[in-house]
Amino acid sequence: CERAVAVLKARSADVPQSLAQVKSSPMVPEQAKAMLESFLAEREAAGEAPEANAYEFQSGSVVGLLEKLTMRFQDERLALEKGEMNARHNFEMLLQQLTDNIKSS
């Protein structure tokens, strides 16, 4: 569970979508790059809002769920270990009592 949470948190950043990234791609023809440059210059001059993200992290609820499950599993394991220790102690006490009864008979 902890590893899954770490992996999800590592990928929690939003990925911006950018025409500037497309413009710098070697696969885009020079004519298209010139058109993109012109378009970007017009947008900057007009003061338009930046583009939306291509990917937004939406696994926050999954991360929260995994963290809650981790805590729950740790609590349950602790309770089971405590019960096991008590059962072992009771067994050892009974064994000692029976051993003492045999010796005293």
PDB file of all heavy atoms in Angstrom, residues 78-103:
ATOM      1  N   LEU A  78      -2.105  -4.880  14.696  1.00  0.00           N
ATOM      2  CA  LEU A  78      -1.707  -4.660  16.081  1.00  0.00           C
ATOM      3  C   LEU A  78      -2.669  -5.361  17.043  1.00  0.00           C
ATOM      4  O   LEU A  78      -2.239  -6.007  18.002  1.00  0.00           O
ATOM      5  CB  LEU A  78      -1.660  -3.160  16.381  1.00  0.00           C
ATOM      6  CG  LEU A  78      -1.219  -2.757  17.781  1.00  0.00           C
ATOM      7  CD1 LEU A  78       0.217  -3.206  18.025  1.00  0.00           C
ATOM      8  CD2 LEU A  78      -1.346  -1.266  17.968  1.00  0.00           C
ATOM      9  N   ALA A  79      -3.970  -5.257  16.763  1.00  0.00           N
ATOM     10  CA  ALA A  79      -4.967  -5.916  17.621  1.00  0.00           C
ATOM     11  C   ALA A  79      -4.809  -7.435  17.575  1.00  0.00           C
ATOM     12  O   ALA A  79      -4.898  -8.115  18.618  1.00  0.00           O
ATOM     13  CB  ALA A  79      -6.373  -5.514  17.187  1.00  0.00           C
ATOM     14  N   LEU A  80      -4.557  -7.991  16.386  1.00  0.00           N
ATOM     15  CA  LEU A  80      -4.367  -9.440  16.266  1.00  0.00           C
ATOM     16  C   LEU A  80      -3.097  -9.893  16.976  1.00  0.00           C
ATOM     17  O   LEU A  80      -3.092 -10.942  17.650  1.00  0.00           O
ATOM     18  CB  LEU A  80      -4.321  -9.847  14.792  1.00  0.00           C
ATOM     19  CG  LEU A  80      -5.643  -9.758  14.042  1.00  0.00           C
ATOM     20  CD1 LEU A  80      -5.420  -9.973  12.554  1.00  0.00           C
ATOM     21  CD2 LEU A  80      -6.637 -10.769  14.586  1.00  0.00           C
ATOM     22  N   GLU A  81      -2.028  -9.127  16.861  1.00  0.00           N
ATOM     23  CA  GLU A  81      -0.784  -9.486  17.545  1.00  0.00           C
ATOM     24  C   GLU A  81      -0.965  -9.441  19.059  1.00  0.00           C
ATOM     25  O   GLU A  81      -0.446 -10.290  19.787  1.00  0.00           O
ATOM     26  CB  GLU A  81       0.350  -8.551  17.107  1.00  0.00           C
ATOM     27  CG  GLU A  81       0.837  -8.811  15.704  1.00  0.00           C
ATOM     28  CD  GLU A  81       1.860  -7.799  15.223  1.00  0.00           C
ATOM     29  OE1 GLU A  81       2.063  -6.757  15.898  1.00  0.00           O
ATOM     30  OE2 GLU A  81       2.451  -8.033  14.158  1.00  0.00           O
ATOM     31  N   LYS A  82      -1.707  -8.455  19.524  1.00  0.00           N
ATOM     32  CA  LYS A  82      -1.965  -8.342  20.961  1.00  0.00           C
ATOM     33  C   LYS A  82      -2.789  -9.534  21.451  1.00  0.00           C
ATOM     34  O   LYS A  82      -2.492 -10.119  22.499  1.00  0.00           O
ATOM     35  CB  LYS A  82      -2.696  -7.035  21.252  1.00  0.00           C
ATOM     36  CG  LYS A  82      -2.876  -6.751  22.717  1.00  0.00           C
ATOM     37  CD  LYS A  82      -3.514  -5.396  22.924  1.00  0.00           C
ATOM     38  CE  LYS A  82      -3.710  -5.120  24.398  1.00  0.00           C
ATOM     39  NZ  LYS A  82      -4.313  -3.798  24.640  1.00  0.00           N
ATOM     40  N   GLY A  83      -3.805  -9.917  20.669  1.00  0.00           N
ATOM     41  CA  GLY A  83      -4.618 -11.081  21.036  1.00  0.00           C
ATOM     42  C   GLY A  83      -3.799 -12.356  21.039  1.00  0.00           C
ATOM     43  O   GLY A  83      -3.967 -13.219  21.914  1.00  0.00           O
ATOM     44  N   GLU A  84      -2.904 -12.478  20.077  1.00  0.00           N
ATOM     45  CA  GLU A  84      -2.041 -13.657  20.006  1.00  0.00           C
ATOM     46  C   GLU A  84      -1.095 -13.712  21.206  1.00  0.00           C
ATOM     47  O   GLU A  84      -0.874 -14.786  21.789  1.00  0.00           O
ATOM     48  CB  GLU A  84      -1.250 -13.627  18.698  1.00  0.00           C
ATOM     49  CG  GLU A  84      -0.417 -14.861  18.455  1.00  0.00           C
ATOM     50  CD  GLU A  84       0.312 -14.807  17.122  1.00  0.00           C
ATOM     51  OE1 GLU A  84      -0.079 -14.028  16.245  1.00  0.00           O
ATOM     52  OE2 GLU A  84       1.296 -15.559  16.984  1.00  0.00           O
ATOM     53  N   MET A  85      -0.550 -12.575  21.598  1.00  0.00           N
ATOM     54  CA  MET A  85       0.335 -12.536  22.764  1.00  0.00           C
ATOM     55  C   MET A  85      -0.425 -12.909  24.032  1.00  0.00           C
ATOM     56  O   MET A  85       0.093 -13.639  24.886  1.00  0.00           O
ATOM     57  CB  MET A  85       0.963 -11.149  22.907  1.00  0.00           C
ATOM     58  CG  MET A  85       2.048 -10.888  21.897  1.00  0.00           C
ATOM     59  SD  MET A  85       2.823  -9.233  21.914  1.00  0.00           S
ATOM     60  CE  MET A  85       2.489  -8.560  23.491  1.00  0.00           C
ATOM     61  N   ASN A  86      -1.653 -12.429  24.180  1.00  0.00           N
ATOM     62  CA  ASN A  86      -2.464 -12.771  25.355  1.00  0.00           C
ATOM     63  C   ASN A  86      -2.785 -14.261  25.379  1.00  0.00           C
ATOM     64  O   ASN A  86      -2.730 -14.901  26.440  1.00  0.00           O
ATOM     65  CB  ASN A  86      -3.758 -11.955  25.376  1.00  0.00           C
ATOM     66  CG  ASN A  86      -3.521 -10.526  25.785  1.00  0.00           C
ATOM     67  OD1 ASN A  86      -2.545 -10.211  26.449  1.00  0.00           O
ATOM     68  ND2 ASN A  86      -4.435  -9.646  25.381  1.00  0.00           N
ATOM     69  N   ALA A  87      -3.115 -14.828  24.226  1.00  0.00           N
ATOM     70  CA  ALA A  87      -3.420 -16.258  24.163  1.00  0.00           C
ATOM     71  C   ALA A  87      -2.184 -17.082  24.521  1.00  0.00           C
ATOM     72  O   ALA A  87      -2.283 -18.085  25.247  1.00  0.00           O
ATOM     73  CB  ALA A  87      -3.927 -16.627  22.768  1.00  0.00           C
ATOM     74  N   ARG A  88      -1.014 -16.670  24.040  1.00  0.00           N
ATOM     75  CA  ARG A  88       0.214 -17.392  24.357  1.00  0.00           C
ATOM     76  C   ARG A  88       0.525 -17.303  25.853  1.00  0.00           C
ATOM     77  O   ARG A  88       0.936 -18.281  26.487  1.00  0.00           O
ATOM     78  CB  ARG A  88       1.368 -16.828  23.537  1.00  0.00           C
ATOM     79  CG  ARG A  88       2.656 -17.569  23.787  1.00  0.00           C
ATOM     80  CD  ARG A  88       3.782 -17.061  22.940  1.00  0.00           C
ATOM     81  NE  ARG A  88       4.966 -17.809  23.258  1.00  0.00           N
ATOM     82  CZ  ARG A  88       5.864 -18.159  22.383  1.00  0.00           C
ATOM     83  NH1 ARG A  88       5.712 -17.815  21.123  1.00  0.00           N
ATOM     84  NH2 ARG A  88       6.924 -18.830  22.749  1.00  0.00           N
ATOM     85  N   HIS A  89       0.335 -16.111  26.409  1.00  0.00           N
ATOM     86  CA  HIS A  89       0.574 -15.928  27.847  1.00  0.00           C
ATOM     87  C   HIS A  89      -0.369 -16.828  28.657  1.00  0.00           C
ATOM     88  O   HIS A  89       0.068 -17.484  29.617  1.00  0.00           O
ATOM     89  CB  HIS A  89       0.374 -14.469  28.242  1.00  0.00           C
ATOM     90  CG  HIS A  89       0.474 -14.218  29.712  1.00  0.00           C
ATOM     91  ND1 HIS A  89       1.664 -14.267  30.384  1.00  0.00           N
ATOM     92  CD2 HIS A  89      -0.476 -13.928  30.634  1.00  0.00           C
ATOM     93  CE1 HIS A  89       1.447 -14.022  31.665  1.00  0.00           C
ATOM     94  NE2 HIS A  89       0.157 -13.806  31.846  1.00  0.00           N
ATOM     95  N   ASN A  90      -1.646 -16.864  28.273  1.00  0.00           N
ATOM     96  CA  ASN A  90      -2.614 -17.711  28.979  1.00  0.00           C
ATOM     97  C   ASN A  90      -2.221 -19.184  28.885  1.00  0.00           C
ATOM     98  O   ASN A  90      -2.331 -19.936  29.858  1.00  0.00           O
ATOM     99  CB  ASN A  90      -4.018 -17.495  28.428  1.00  0.00           C
ATOM    100  CG  ASN A  90      -4.574 -16.138  28.802  1.00  0.00           C
ATOM    101  OD1 ASN A  90      -4.114 -15.508  29.762  1.00  0.00           O
ATOM    102  ND2 ASN A  90      -5.541 -15.670  28.031  1.00  0.00           N
ATOM    103  N   PHE A  91      -1.762 -19.600  27.699  1.00  0.00           N
ATOM    104  CA  PHE A  91      -1.333 -20.983  27.522  1.00  0.00           C
ATOM    105  C   PHE A  91      -0.138 -21.297  28.422  1.00  0.00           C
ATOM    106  O   PHE A  91      -0.101 -22.342  29.080  1.00  0.00           O
ATOM    107  CB  PHE A  91      -0.967 -21.243  26.053  1.00  0.00           C
ATOM    108  CG  PHE A  91      -0.283 -22.560  25.826  1.00  0.00           C
ATOM    109  CD1 PHE A  91      -1.011 -23.745  25.840  1.00  0.00           C
ATOM    110  CD2 PHE A  91       1.093 -22.628  25.630  1.00  0.00           C
ATOM    111  CE1 PHE A  91      -0.387 -24.963  25.644  1.00  0.00           C
ATOM    112  CE2 PHE A  91       1.716 -23.839  25.438  1.00  0.00           C
ATOM    113  CZ  PHE A  91       0.984 -25.013  25.449  1.00  0.00           C
ATOM    114  N   GLU A  92       0.843 -20.402  28.450  1.00  0.00           N
ATOM    115  CA  GLU A  92       2.029 -20.640  29.275  1.00  0.00           C
ATOM    116  C   GLU A  92       1.675 -20.665  30.758  1.00  0.00           C
ATOM    117  O   GLU A  92       2.238 -21.463  31.526  1.00  0.00           O
ATOM    118  CB  GLU A  92       3.093 -19.588  28.976  1.00  0.00           C
ATOM    119  CG  GLU A  92       3.727 -19.767  27.614  1.00  0.00           C
ATOM    120  CD  GLU A  92       4.696 -18.661  27.240  1.00  0.00           C
ATOM    121  OE1 GLU A  92       4.823 -17.678  28.002  1.00  0.00           O
ATOM    122  OE2 GLU A  92       5.315 -18.785  26.173  1.00  0.00           O
ATOM    123  N   MET A  93       0.738 -19.829  31.175  1.00  0.00           N
ATOM    124  CA  MET A  93       0.297 -19.842  32.582  1.00  0.00           C
ATOM    125  C   MET A  93      -0.395 -21.169  32.906  1.00  0.00           C
ATOM    126  O   MET A  93      -0.152 -21.762  33.966  1.00  0.00           O
ATOM    127  CB  MET A  93      -0.646 -18.676  32.858  1.00  0.00           C
ATOM    128  CG  MET A  93       0.030 -17.315  32.805  1.00  0.00           C
ATOM    129  SD  MET A  93       1.261 -17.087  34.097  1.00  0.00           S
ATOM    130  CE  MET A  93       0.220 -17.028  35.530  1.00  0.00           C
ATOM    131  N   LEU A  94      -1.263 -21.643  31.999  1.00  0.00           N
ATOM    132  CA  LEU A  94      -1.958 -22.913  32.208  1.00  0.00           C
ATOM    133  C   LEU A  94      -0.957 -24.061  32.239  1.00  0.00           C
ATOM    134  O   LEU A  94      -1.051 -24.962  33.092  1.00  0.00           O
ATOM    135  CB  LEU A  94      -2.997 -23.134  31.105  1.00  0.00           C
ATOM    136  CG  LEU A  94      -3.779 -24.437  31.167  1.00  0.00           C
ATOM    137  CD1 LEU A  94      -4.604 -24.512  32.460  1.00  0.00           C
ATOM    138  CD2 LEU A  94      -4.673 -24.579  29.949  1.00  0.00           C
ATOM    139  N   LEU A  95       0.020 -24.038  31.328  1.00  0.00           N
ATOM    140  CA  LEU A  95       1.049 -25.068  31.295  1.00  0.00           C
ATOM    141  C   LEU A  95       1.832 -25.088  32.603  1.00  0.00           C
ATOM    142  O   LEU A  95       2.086 -26.163  33.171  1.00  0.00           O
ATOM    143  CB  LEU A  95       1.989 -24.834  30.110  1.00  0.00           C
ATOM    144  CG  LEU A  95       3.107 -25.844  29.916  1.00  0.00           C
ATOM    145  CD1 LEU A  95       2.535 -27.231  29.619  1.00  0.00           C
ATOM    146  CD2 LEU A  95       4.021 -25.389  28.801  1.00  0.00           C
ATOM    147  N   GLN A  96       2.197 -23.915  33.097  1.00  0.00           N
ATOM    148  CA  GLN A  96       2.935 -23.832  34.362  1.00  0.00           C
ATOM    149  C   GLN A  96       2.092 -24.354  35.524  1.00  0.00           C
ATOM    150  O   GLN A  96       2.571 -25.088  36.376  1.00  0.00           O
ATOM    151  CB  GLN A  96       3.362 -22.387  34.631  1.00  0.00           C
ATOM    152  CG  GLN A  96       4.205 -22.223  35.869  1.00  0.00           C
ATOM    153  CD  GLN A  96       5.532 -22.954  35.751  1.00  0.00           C
ATOM    154  OE1 GLN A  96       6.187 -22.915  34.720  1.00  0.00           O
ATOM    155  NE2 GLN A  96       5.930 -23.626  36.820  1.00  0.00           N
ATOM    156  N   GLN A  97       0.808 -24.002  35.513  1.00  0.00           N
ATOM    157  CA  GLN A  97      -0.085 -24.458  36.583  1.00  0.00           C
ATOM    158  C   GLN A  97      -0.229 -25.988  36.556  1.00  0.00           C
ATOM    159  O   GLN A  97      -0.154 -26.638  37.605  1.00  0.00           O
ATOM    160  CB  GLN A  97      -1.450 -23.798  36.435  1.00  0.00           C
ATOM    161  CG  GLN A  97      -2.423 -24.165  37.533  1.00  0.00           C
ATOM    162  CD  GLN A  97      -3.801 -23.543  37.310  1.00  0.00           C
ATOM    163  OE1 GLN A  97      -4.047 -22.964  36.257  1.00  0.00           O
ATOM    164  NE2 GLN A  97      -4.665 -23.655  38.292  1.00  0.00           N
ATOM    165  N   LEU A  98      -0.397 -26.551  35.377  1.00  0.00           N
ATOM    166  CA  LEU A  98      -0.531 -28.009  35.268  1.00  0.00           C
ATOM    167  C   LEU A  98       0.772 -28.713  35.650  1.00  0.00           C
ATOM    168  O   LEU A  98       0.757 -29.760  36.312  1.00  0.00           O
ATOM    169  CB  LEU A  98      -0.958 -28.408  33.850  1.00  0.00           C
ATOM    170  CG  LEU A  98      -2.372 -27.984  33.449  1.00  0.00           C
ATOM    171  CD1 LEU A  98      -2.616 -28.282  31.980  1.00  0.00           C
ATOM    172  CD2 LEU A  98      -3.421 -28.662  34.324  1.00  0.00           C
ATOM    173  N   THR A  99       1.901 -28.128  35.254  1.00  0.00           N
ATOM    174  CA  THR A  99       3.205 -28.696  35.629  1.00  0.00           C
ATOM    175  C   THR A  99       3.377 -28.671  37.138  1.00  0.00           C
ATOM    176  O   THR A  99       3.821 -29.653  37.739  1.00  0.00           O
ATOM    177  CB  THR A  99       4.333 -27.911  34.942  1.00  0.00           C
ATOM    178  OG1 THR A  99       4.132 -27.920  33.530  1.00  0.00           O
ATOM    179  CG2 THR A  99       5.684 -28.514  35.259  1.00  0.00           C
ATOM    180  N   ASP A 100       2.999 -27.592  37.766  1.00  0.00           N
ATOM    181  CA  ASP A 100       3.083 -27.490  39.230  1.00  0.00           C
ATOM    182  C   ASP A 100       2.152 -28.494  39.898  1.00  0.00           C
ATOM    183  O   ASP A 100       2.509 -29.095  40.925  1.00  0.00           O
ATOM    184  CB  ASP A 100       2.740 -26.081  39.687  1.00  0.00           C
ATOM    185  CG  ASP A 100       3.815 -25.065  39.332  1.00  0.00           C
ATOM    186  OD1 ASP A 100       4.933 -25.486  38.964  1.00  0.00           O
ATOM    187  OD2 ASP A 100       3.520 -23.832  39.375  1.00  0.00           O
ATOM    188  N   ASN A 101       0.962 -28.687  39.347  1.00  0.00           N
ATOM    189  CA  ASN A 101       0.006 -29.664  39.911  1.00  0.00           C
ATOM    190  C   ASN A 101       0.572 -31.069  39.823  1.00  0.00           C
ATOM    191  O   ASN A 101       0.405 -31.888  40.756  1.00  0.00           O
ATOM    192  CB  ASN A 101      -1.341 -29.594  39.179  1.00  0.00           C
ATOM    193  CG  ASN A 101      -2.140 -28.369  39.540  1.00  0.00           C
ATOM    194  OD1 ASN A 101      -1.829 -27.676  40.515  1.00  0.00           O
ATOM    195  ND2 ASN A 101      -3.150 -28.061  38.731  1.00  0.00           N
ATOM    196  N   ILE A 102       1.234 -31.402  38.722  1.00  0.00           N
ATOM    197  CA  ILE A 102       1.811 -32.743  38.561  1.00  0.00           C
ATOM    198  C   ILE A 102       2.937 -32.933  39.554  1.00  0.00           C
ATOM    199  O   ILE A 102       3.059 -33.995  40.184  1.00  0.00           O
ATOM    200  CB  ILE A 102       2.290 -32.936  37.115  1.00  0.00           C
ATOM    201  CG1 ILE A 102       1.103 -33.021  36.164  1.00  0.00           C
ATOM    202  CG2 ILE A 102       3.172 -34.194  36.987  1.00  0.00           C
ATOM    203  CD1 ILE A 102       1.469 -33.035  34.708  1.00  0.00           C
ATOM    204  N   LYS A 103       3.792 -31.932  39.730  1.00  0.00           N
ATOM    205  CA  LYS A 103       4.913 -32.042  40.658  1.00  0.00           C
ATOM    206  C   LYS A 103       4.444 -32.171  42.109  1.00  0.00           C
ATOM    207  O   LYS A 103       5.040 -32.865  42.906  1.00  0.00           O
ATOM    208  CB  LYS A 103       5.824 -30.829  40.523  1.00  0.00           C
ATOM    209  CG  LYS A 103       6.681 -30.864  39.280  1.00  0.00           C
ATOM    210  CD  LYS A 103       7.598 -29.654  39.229  1.00  0.00           C
ATOM    211  CE  LYS A 103       8.423 -29.672  37.953  1.00  0.00           C
ATOM    212  NZ  LYS A 103       9.285 -28.487  37.862  1.00  0.00           N
TER     213      LYS A 103
END
